[in-house]
Amino acid sequence: MNKVLLVFASMSGNTEGIAHLVAEGIKQAGKEVDIKEIFDATAKDLLEYDGIILGAYTWGDGELPDDFLDFYDDMDATNLTGKKAAVFGSGDHAYLHFCAAVDILENKLQECGAELVQEGLKIEMSPTSAEEEQCKDFGRKFAAQLLSIG
């Protein structure tokens, strides 16, 4: 059975809530998922999983949060070839670059050789009831992508 690692950074709890909804979807699809907050994870942890999901809020006017920076930099030395990946995040449309952290993390995963298997999920602040189902579906769809590798 393929395992998924979901690593997230959350300041207000919005991204953490999304992370747990995505994980619920993965479990509903019959896959195992380990959830780690960014401070409890290292880039080397990514090597132990077939599926990788990263989640972050966007800080300021389109930046990764500071708590994600060391992990992000450490990814440079991590070869993720053969890994399937996806990214989600929370943001605020009041800023010029909505959920830019999602785009930044997608680019980094691709630079490290991972295959992005679905479009990033971007949620305004905290998910509405309808978006909660969208988050679970994001997890289910990701889990379905792992079927092709076992």
Side-chain angles (χ1 to χ4, degrees):
M1 174 179 275
N2 308 104
K3 284 183 70 174
V4 176
L5 177 61
L6 190 157
V7 178
F8 72 92
S10 187
M11 182 170 62
S12 64
N14 293 336
T15 309
E16 181 176 8
I18 296 167
H20 288 285
L21 291 166
V22 170
E24 185 177 335
I26 293 168
K27 290 174 187 174
Q28 287 172 350
K31 296 294 181 185
E32 293 181 33
V33 60
D34 290 335
I35 304 171
K36 293 186 179 187
E37 290 191 47
I38 192 67
F39 293 120
D40 297 325
T42 67
K44 287 184 181 180
D45 292 340
L46 302 175
L47 299 173
E48 299 173 25
Y49 295 82
D50 297 307
I52 300 162
I53 300 180
L54 302 180
Y57 60 95
T58 298
W59 183 249
D61 194 28
E63 302 162 17
L64 276 179
D66 287 346
D67 41 358
F68 223 109
L69 294 179
D70 287 340
F71 184 96
Y72 178 86
D73 289 341
D74 290 344
M75 286 178 69
D76 286 336
T78 309
N79 182 349
L80 300 178
T81 301
K83 308 291 183 183
K84 297 194 182 237
V87 181
F88 68 89
S90 60
D92 187 341
H93 274 105
Y95 292 96
L96 180 62
H97 302 287
F98 176 66
C99 285
V102 171
D103 303 324
I104 292 167
L105 290 173
E106 285 180 331
N107 288 336
K108 179 59 79 176
L109 284 164
Q110 288 180 308
E111 286 172 14
C112 295
E115 176 191 358
L116 291 177
V117 295
Q118 64 196 63
E119 185 177 334
L121 176 65
K122 298 179 179 183
I123 300 290
E124 173 85 17
M125 307 292 264
S126 181
T128 63
S129 295
E131 288 172 330
E132 286 181 3
E133 190 56 36
Q134 184 182 1
C135 294
K136 292 176 194 175
D137 193 50
F138 185 82
R140 287 188 293 266
K141 286 179 179 175
F142 185 80
Q145 294 292 328
L146 294 179
L147 293 175
S148 65
I149 58 172

